[in-house]
Amino acid sequence: MCGIVGYIGKKDAVPILLKGLQRLEYRGYDSAGISVMGTDGSQIVKQAGKVSELSKTVDDSPVSGTIGIAHTRWATHGEPNDINAHPHTDASETFSLVHNGIIENHSSLRTYLQEKGVSFKTETDTEVLVQLIGYLYQKEETSFEQAVRSALQEVVGAYGIAVTCKNEPDTIIVARLGSPLVLGVGDEEYFIASDASPIVEYTRKVVYLDEGEMVCIHPNGYKVKNIKKDLILSKEIKEIDLSVEQIEKGNFPHFMLKEIHEQAQTIPDTLRGRLLVDKGTAHLGGIEDWIPRFEQAHRIYITACGTSWHAGLIGKYLIEEYAGIPVHVEYASEFRYRRNIVDKDTLVLAISQSGETADTLAAIKKAKEKGALTVGICNVVGSSIARETECGIYTHAGPEIGVASTKAFTAQVTVLYMLALRLGKSAGMSAIEGRTLAKALSEIGVDAARVLDQSEAIEKVAWEYKDVENFLYLGRGLNFPVALEGALKLKEISYIHAEGYPAAEMKHGPIALIDEKMPVVFLAPHDLTFEKVLSNIHEVKARKGKIITLTDKKTKDLTDLSDHLIVVPSSHPRVFPILATIPLQLLAYHLAVIRGCNVDQPRNLAKSVTVE
């Protein structure tokens, strides 16, 4: 969960590296550093804090060169301080290395190296790797490339690395196993990054590294090889569809607010060319060739983490209702470590914004070993999940920079609605029912824009609760996962404790928390569950709880009972969850801003969770 950037060419590497780190800071922001190759070896500047602090230090340092690597860190081993920041060097300072991932056998390797007389400066697993490279380089009197290759044969875990060597100063070696890396190909220059965002400003030509691959990069070219077999591989250069404007804030104060507002466009973008309103179904090109396997599936597992897991819960309700296929939703971290009922008649649907989530990738691997058909839903073209699954569906949400997911979540849910329609058509769902839902989905973009117009009103609500310590979110059916997601957003960015529950479960414990200090957010669309949710609202009111109600129709009973009423223009009770999500995102956002929190980079979190 760190950002790596590198450059080799004719330009000054320093400004390219620093700007690249700023683009990647959403991946980690505990500390940062750069290493630029000079005439006497690596010139390294690193420190705790954000990239802006590093930039100030670099401005005061005589660092320059045309080859360099850089890193922004989310700490795993060792606290986020100056000494534990990357890049790290070996004892002889021959090698400089940046690393994303975790070396799981770092402790035994550290002990081995210490017994050989190697001294360590830091607590990090990364230093163990660079010290191992340095030790093998000297012991075996081998080449830079072979030392890296030999060291990687000994490590267990996940890594994306970039390494330089003072004895071969015109070379950068990068390698990946479990952590993404992309090579940008320019005009007599090359770029390295954890994702495409730092590269798009300079080139749209990229090479995506697959598992177990390494690249030796020189100013005049590069070679992609297999780490274990030393075989040169032929790799396709691809064009990235990304603009600089998409990864900048524009006129918004925060990426998160920009991305919340973009949902009026990203939801229609996800539907475009896929939703067939007249036929009441959807055409999903990425899976159409596999539909017979879908239709024959005895069960579906949806596996994901965090926000994507909440999307999966909504998918379960929809697929079971419209297609009649049993669906199990499991955290990917649990799926991989227990015995599942997974076989060739099982479909495993993996959901991830980044397409690089380590636990989800491991779940895919386990499912494939058991013969299941694996399907990816992700937002990043060329990501590991897109490549590892047999088929899949992209969400078309565009790059999401804010750490707390917003538009990616609603895009994932939108894809799951279309999947339910597609499978429902095969399962005999009535044409009228399909067309009614499809028509409501087609109107979501306009409806979302009307919800976003309520941002100032929601900000006024937020001011009334800026000092509370706890929130409760309640919903039933499809809206229970929305309650979970609303609570998660509040926790992530405002640091207010919040819990989501099925509304009926309030009586089975959480009602003990209700008093005049406890705000309760109710999701109360006028569907089959409305009367039951209304009863729950009465129960909170009787205990003097503060009530914030999200509904699709302003009625006297809700007006009388609620302290605050937010109405979303939903034309179908089944699409209410998508639209209701947006006010909850805005509520969390405004509360976080009012409380002075860093909305885009909340403490202890990183965007792409590429470690277990």
Side-chain angles (χ1 to χ4, degrees), residues 42-84:
S42 297
Q43 306 166 78
I44 295 175
V45 181
K46 59 180 185 174
Q47 65 179 75
K50 298 189 180 299
V51 174
S52 58
E53 297 300 316
L54 175 68
S55 296
K56 294 175 185 176
T57 304
V58 169
D59 288 342
D60 297 329
S61 305
V63 180
S64 66
T66 59
I67 296 175
I69 55 178
H71 187 271
T72 180
R73 182 177 186 236
W74 185 88
T76 54
H77 296 74
E79 65 179 89
N81 57 25
D82 291 359
I83 195 169
N84 287 331

Side-chain angles (χ1 to χ4, degrees), residues 35 37-38 40-44 69 88-97 121 130-131 133-138 142-144 147-148 163-169 171:
S35 173
M37 188 58 65
D40 297 323
S42 297
Q43 306 166 78
I44 295 175
I69 55 178
H88 289 289
T89 63
D90 67 315
S92 66
E93 297 188 349
T94 300
F95 296 96
S96 179
L97 179 145
K121 308 171 193 172
V130 74
Q131 293 279 24
I133 292 171
Y135 173 75
L136 294 174
Y137 182 74
Q138 291 185 339
T142 187
S143 67
F144 175 18
V148 173
V163 198
T164 59
C165 174
K166 74 176 183 181
N167 296 332
E168 298 184 38
T171 302

Side-chain angles (χ1 to χ4, degrees), residues 185-202:
V185 181
D187 183 12
E188 296 185 344
E189 60 183 357
Y190 300 94
F191 306 85
I192 305 149
S194 301
D195 64 43
S197 58
I199 291 173
V200 66
E201 189 170 343
Y202 309 101

Side-chain angles (χ1 to χ4, degrees), residues 392-412:
I393 309 164
Y394 286 116
T395 53
H396 299 322
E400 189 179 66
I401 307 301
V403 167
S405 183
T406 52
K407 63 176 182 174
F409 172 74
T410 52
Q412 289 168 352

Side-chain angles (χ1 to χ4, degrees), residues 271 274-277 279-284 287-288 291 295 315 318-323 413-442 572 574-575:
L271 294 166
R274 295 165 162 178
L275 185 66
L276 307 177
V277 177
K279 296 181 179 180
T281 187
H283 178 82
L284 301 168
I287 66 168
E288 289 299 328
I291 286 296
E295 295 170 342
L318 294 168
I319 293 169
E320 289 185 341
E321 178 175 355
Y322 292 114
V413 173
T414 300
V415 164
L416 290 165
Y417 273 85
M418 290 191 288
L419 180 59
L421 276 173
R422 179 65 183 87
L423 298 179
K425 187 75 170 178
S426 300
M429 180 178 65
S430 75
I432 293 175
E433 188 175 19
R435 283 195 295 269
T436 302
L437 178 57
K439 184 176 185 299
L441 287 169
S442 72
H572 191 294
R574 287 291 179 269
V575 302

Side-chain angles (χ1 to χ4, degrees), residues 7 66 90 120 204 218 249 256 310 361 506 532 600:
Y7 175 78
T66 59
D90 67 315
F120 286 82
R204 294 185 180 277
H218 307 274
K249 286 185 287 192
M256 184 178 181
H310 297 157
L361 280 163
M506 182 185 67
K532 299 298 183 183
D600 287 334

Side-chain angles (χ1 to χ4, degrees), residues 409-477:
F409 172 74
T410 52
Q412 289 168 352
V413 173
T414 300
V415 164
L416 290 165
Y417 273 85
M418 290 191 288
L419 180 59
L421 276 173
R422 179 65 183 87
L423 298 179
K425 187 75 170 178
S426 300
M429 180 178 65
S430 75
I432 293 175
E433 188 175 19
R435 283 195 295 269
T436 302
L437 178 57
K439 184 176 185 299
L441 287 169
S442 72
E443 296 169 352
I444 282 186
V446 175
D447 291 340
R450 293 167 62 189
V451 174
L452 289 164
D453 288 339
Q454 301 183 57
S455 181
E456 288 186 11
I458 293 169
E459 182 180 5
K460 291 178 182 177
V461 175
W463 274 102
E464 294 196 27
Y465 299 100
K466 66 182 180 65
D467 296 320
V468 302
E469 296 179 355
N470 301 282
F471 260 82
L472 191 62
Y473 289 69
L474 301 174
R476 293 183 72 122

Side-chain angles (χ1 to χ4, degrees), residues 53 111 142 240 247 250 364 372 375 405 438 454 488-489 594 598 600 604 608:
E53 297 300 316
T111 300
T142 187
I240 52 175
I247 56 176
I364 291 169
V375 183
S405 183
Q454 301 183 57
L488 177 61
K489 282 294 148 292
I594 291 166
N598 188 332
D600 287 334
N604 303 332
S608 182

